[in-house]
Amino acid sequence: MSFCVNCGVRLAPSEQQCPLCDVFVINPLNPWTEPAERPYPKRVETLIKKNVDTKFTVIIISISLIIPAIIPMLTDLFIAGGITWSRYVLGALFCLFVFVPLPLMFKRPNKYLFWLLDTLSVAGYVFLIYSSSGSRGWYFSLALPIIISVALGVLLSMIITASSTSSLKKAAAIFAIIGLVSVSVDLVINFHLGSSSPVHWSVFVVSPLLVFSSILLVIDRKVELKEELRKRLFY
Ligand SMILES: [Zn+2]
């Protein structure tokens, strides 16, 4: 009996190559002999491809979104004689559709285009709620600025993660962005409420985040310094 030296899988006496990782099998104590019966056919069909899986996932997600869309819509039509409350369900499901299955339908979705689509769908959904709510004014002075600041924070984080800086610097930047977004959300809320002080709770969010971010930057600097010293001193 032999085991693969690379992946450790148990090998049948008929193996000249590991069926799992393709490493050649050389066992001097157990030379290869043509077996009377092979454990499986010589040619293994490899039909399962990534796009087949993605297509299947898209179909499953879309169906699981269509069912909860149809039931409230029919109930609403039947009871109220039109689309009243079910528009909230439909709007939320549409947002979910834009968030998950829609980008999966593309082989190489442009993440910035989908960032824009996601932001627009959320802004549109909140506007739908606003337009049917009785109270006025909160969309443009509260909801929209919050959506825009969160979306800009997400966009900045996307640009930073795509850049080629060290992961410690990236993490430091993302912590700082989360802090900035919370400050801007706090500012928007206080401005909307006509509050005396421009910032309240966000101080408690942004200060530890900035401390943590600076610690990460210091560690990153140390790592760089160590590398530099190592190169100069040949150790
Ligand atoms: Zn192997």
Side-chain angles (χ1 to χ4, degrees):
M1 188 196 300
S2 306
F3 291 91
C4 172
V5 288
N6 184 46
C7 71
V9 78
R10 195 173 136 181
L11 304 163
S14 62
E15 310 298 359
Q16 284 179 297
Q17 223 176 330
C18 171
L20 211 63
C21 69
D22 292 338
V23 158
F24 286 99
V25 175
I26 304 157
N27 186 348
L29 300 176
N30 196 359
W32 184 78
T33 44
E34 176 75 58
E37 201 184 325
R38 285 182 167 273
Y40 46 80
K42 233 179 178 175
R43 205 170 74 96
V44 182
E45 298 286 343
T46 47
L47 266 179
I48 306 155
K49 278 184 188 161
K50 208 178 160 257
N51 8 341
V52 177
D53 269 2
T54 324
K55 257 185 194 166
F56 186 69
T57 317
V58 168
I59 292 166
I60 291 291
I61 297 172
S62 304
I63 290 171
S64 56
L65 287 178
I66 287 168
I67 295 166
I70 288 173
I71 296 167
M73 205 170 78
L74 289 178
T75 319
D76 202 14
L77 278 173
F78 192 69
I79 295 170
I83 292 181
T84 58
W85 55 269
S86 65
R87 72 175 95 171
Y88 303 124
V89 183
L90 293 176
L93 290 170
F94 177 76
C95 286
L96 261 178
F97 175 75
V98 175
F99 269 77
V100 188
L102 193 65
L104 286 177
M105 284 178 192
F106 297 88
K107 255 190 184 158
R108 296 181 75 190
N110 184 317
K111 56 181 179 178
Y112 299 111
L113 177 72
F114 275 94
W115 166 83
L116 185 67
L117 285 178
D118 291 351
T119 309
L120 287 177
S121 62
V122 171
Y125 180 56
V126 179
F127 187 75
L128 177 83
I129 296 171
Y130 170 72
S131 61
S132 24
S133 78
S135 54
R136 297 282 100 194
W138 60 266
Y139 184 77
F140 294 103
S141 69
L142 184 71
L144 194 61
I146 290 176
I147 293 169
I148 291 172
S149 39
V150 172
L152 286 178
V154 172
L155 179 67
L156 263 177
S157 314
M158 279 162 67
I159 293 169
I160 286 163
T161 25
S163 71
S164 56
T165 44
S166 74
S167 41
L168 278 173
K169 268 185 195 149
K170 282 181 190 172
I174 286 165
F175 280 125
I177 290 168
I178 296 170
L180 275 178
V181 169
S182 58
V183 169
S184 57
V185 169
D186 199 14
L187 277 171
V188 167
I189 293 170
N190 293 320
F191 189 72
H192 175 77
L193 296 174
S195 183
S196 54
S197 137
V199 280
H200 284 118
W201 53 267
S202 63
V203 181
F204 304 107
V205 180
V206 78
S207 353
L209 279 173
L210 285 183
V211 169
F212 202 56
S213 176
S214 332
I215 291 170
L216 286 179
L217 283 180
V218 169
I219 295 170
D220 188 72
R221 189 90 196 98
K222 278 244 163 104
V223 170
E224 256 176 37
L225 224 95
K226 250 189 189 167
E227 276 298 304
E228 202 55 36
L229 279 175
R230 206 171 59 81
K231 274 183 207 155
R232 302 245 169 125
L233 302 173
F234 306 104
Y235 73 84

